[in-house]
């Protein structure tokens, strides 16, 4: 089976590597343009591009696939890619976290299947891993689906479930689901070689949407309950990183534990900040013990080490 692969971040690169290792012929790779990153804002290639170049696979990086774009540059790039797809010998397009919308013209060339990091129809959209942790879901998984014009609405070809542990962050759960998706897409293509797969329509009940994560969401509001805040801290690790202000300084909060004790103190008040009690902060209900923090320009540190260089006793988070 020959494929065109469309994807951008590490989640997609792992799937691409798995397909390559399985001997799937990859005719062409589509990925997003190089982006500025790091302190020097130098252009960096996506994880998918890096893998493709290393293994001699041709890469195209259009700004858009919409031929009707109002931007003439984007429209011209889209027309060029469309023409290339029409002349490329492939059986199916595999899509994983590509980041660009596939218009009807692209979907109509050959079948398109997507690797999605949730149990559809729950968490359609851009940030299914973050939102599953933030919502307190007990499980999630990967769905392989046929693509159509709706947002993650296509019929399902395969689905596997994994538990979300109370220690999972978006980083750890991402790695679990990326590995699962990489295995599942190889299995799915092998089954497709033997004949059409049953495509199961998504149920109408249980639809939720995983909106893109905004940096402004990561500021912690200690008037919320401790359990809700702890989930946010895990959901926003590693990006965008939960944070809160104390005495005008923004601290990143990378880890926390919930405490059932309700002190009656003002939300955000630091109740303890020493080696014995750790860093405990009052919340709207319950309290949080902060376990890993980072000050501007500093390293991520366990609370005991952080307190050696940053006093928090008698402080209050804004």
């Amino acid at each position: 089976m020959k494929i065109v692969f469309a994807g951008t971040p590490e989640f997609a690169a792992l799937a691409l590597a798995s397909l390559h290792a399985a001997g799937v012929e990859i005719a062409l790779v589509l990925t997003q343009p190089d982006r500025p990153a790091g302190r020097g804002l130098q252009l960096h290639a996506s994880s998918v591009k890096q893998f493709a170049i290393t293994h001699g696979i041709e890469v195209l990086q259009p700004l858009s696939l919409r031929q009707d774009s109002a931007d003439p540059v984007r429209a011209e790039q889209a027309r060029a890619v469309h023409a290339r797809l029409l002349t490329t010998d492939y059986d199916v397009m595999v899509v994983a976290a590509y980041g660009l919308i596939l218009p009807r013209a692209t979907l109509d060339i050959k079948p398109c299947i997507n690797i999605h990091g949730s149990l559809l129809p729950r968490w359609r959209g851009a940030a299914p891993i973050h939102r599953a942790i933030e919502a307190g879901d007990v499980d999630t998984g990967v769905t392989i689906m046929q693509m159509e014009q709706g947002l993650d609405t296509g019929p399902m070809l395969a689905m596997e479930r994994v538990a979300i542990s109370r220690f999972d962050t978006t980083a750890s759960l991402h790695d679990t689901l990326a590995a699962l998706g990489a295995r599942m897409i190889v299995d799915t293509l092998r089954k497709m070689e033997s004949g059409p797969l049953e495509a199961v329509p998504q149920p109408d009940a249980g639809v939720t949407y995983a909106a893109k994560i905004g940096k402004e969401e990561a500021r912690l509001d200690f008037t919320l309950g401790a359990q809700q805040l702890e989930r946010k801290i895990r959901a926003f690790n590693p990006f965008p990183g939960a944070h809160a202000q104390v005495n005008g300084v923004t601290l990143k909060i990378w880890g926390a534990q919930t405490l059932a004790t309700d002190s009656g103190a003002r939300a955000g008040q630091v109740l303890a900040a020493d080696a014995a009690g750790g860093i405990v902060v009052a919340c709207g209900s319950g309290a949080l013990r902060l376990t890993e923090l980072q000050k501007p320009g500093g390293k991520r540190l366990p609370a005991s080490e952080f307190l050696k260089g940053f006093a928090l006793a008698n402080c209050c988070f804004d």
Side-chain angles (χ1 to χ4, degrees):
M1 181 168 283
K2 299 178 182 179
I3 70 165
V4 168
F5 186 88
T8 299
E10 186 62 29
F11 184 93
L14 195 58
L16 179 60
S18 181
L19 291 164
H20 184 269
V24 175
E25 186 174 344
I26 303 160
L28 183 66
V29 161
L30 305 180
T31 191
Q32 288 209 41
D34 298 355
R35 304 293 189 194
R39 292 187 178 181
L41 294 179
Q42 295 182 336
L43 291 178
H44 284 259
S46 72
S47 297
V48 163
K49 180 181 177 179
Q50 292 177 42
F51 181 90
I53 293 298
T54 299
H55 293 85
I57 306 169
E58 184 181 359
V59 177
L60 297 180
Q61 297 177 270
L63 291 165
S64 173
L65 294 176
R66 291 185 174 277
Q67 300 177 66
D68 59 354
S69 172
D71 183 330
V73 174
R74 292 171 182 261
E76 181 57 33
Q77 288 184 356
R79 285 191 288 270
V81 171
H82 183 74
R84 180 59 191 280
L85 291 173
L86 288 173
T87 58
T88 298
D89 179 19
Y90 70 103
D91 301 296
V92 64
M93 179 183 287
V94 174
V95 183
Y98 181 28
L100 294 183
I101 294 173
L102 270 61
R104 170 57 63 189
T106 303
L107 296 172
D108 284 345
I109 298 174
K110 291 288 175 67
C112 299
I113 59 176
N114 178 251
I115 309 168
H116 187 76
S118 83
L119 301 173
L120 291 170
R122 186 159 178 80
W123 302 130
R124 294 173 177 172
I129 301 174
H130 297 78
R131 299 305 183 188
I133 293 176
E134 184 184 19
D137 290 2
V138 298
D139 58 10
T140 185
V142 169
T143 304
I144 309 294
M145 67 168 182
Q146 290 182 356
M147 295 187 70
E148 55 184 33
Q149 280 195 290
L151 178 63
D152 298 328
T153 58
M156 303 174 292
L157 301 173
M159 177 185 288
E160 290 195 29
R161 187 179 303 265
V162 298
I164 301 177
S165 87
R166 64 188 184 93
F167 303 109
D168 265 321
T169 64
T170 288
S172 64
L173 190 55
H174 166 279
D175 291 350
T176 298
L177 296 182
L180 176 59
R183 175 179 61 77
M184 287 177 65
I185 192 60
V186 171
D187 292 344
T188 299
L189 290 184
R190 284 174 174 163
K191 291 175 182 177
M192 289 176 69
E193 288 180 333
S194 301
L197 298 182
E198 180 184 5
V200 179
Q202 293 184 35
D204 295 328
V207 175
T208 57
Y209 290 93
K212 184 178 179 180
I213 301 295
K215 290 185 178 181
E216 67 283 353
E217 293 184 69
R219 179 163 181 168
L220 298 179
D221 176 2
F222 284 95
T223 64
L224 299 176
Q227 189 174 61
Q228 186 176 356
L229 288 167
E230 187 269 346
R231 292 199 303 259
K232 285 180 177 290
I233 291 167
R234 291 189 292 117
F236 300 146
N237 181 352
F239 176 84
H243 63 271
Q245 280 201 339
V246 59
N247 294 335
V249 180
T250 299
L251 303 181
K252 287 285 186 75
I253 315 295
W254 294 109
Q257 300 168 348
T258 59
L259 302 175
T261 303
D262 196 341
S263 67
R266 172 189 170 189
Q269 181 66 46
V270 176
L271 304 176
D274 52 58
I279 301 171
V280 180
V281 183
C283 304
S285 61
L288 275 183
R289 176 176 283 119
L290 309 183
T291 59
E292 187 178 13
L293 303 90
Q294 181 181 12
K295 64 183 179 181
K299 297 179 180 180
R300 293 170 58 160
L301 295 172
S304 57
E305 293 297 313
F306 183 83
L307 286 172
K308 293 178 181 179
F310 198 100
L312 279 173
N314 300 316
C315 291
C316 188
F317 284 91
D318 297 337

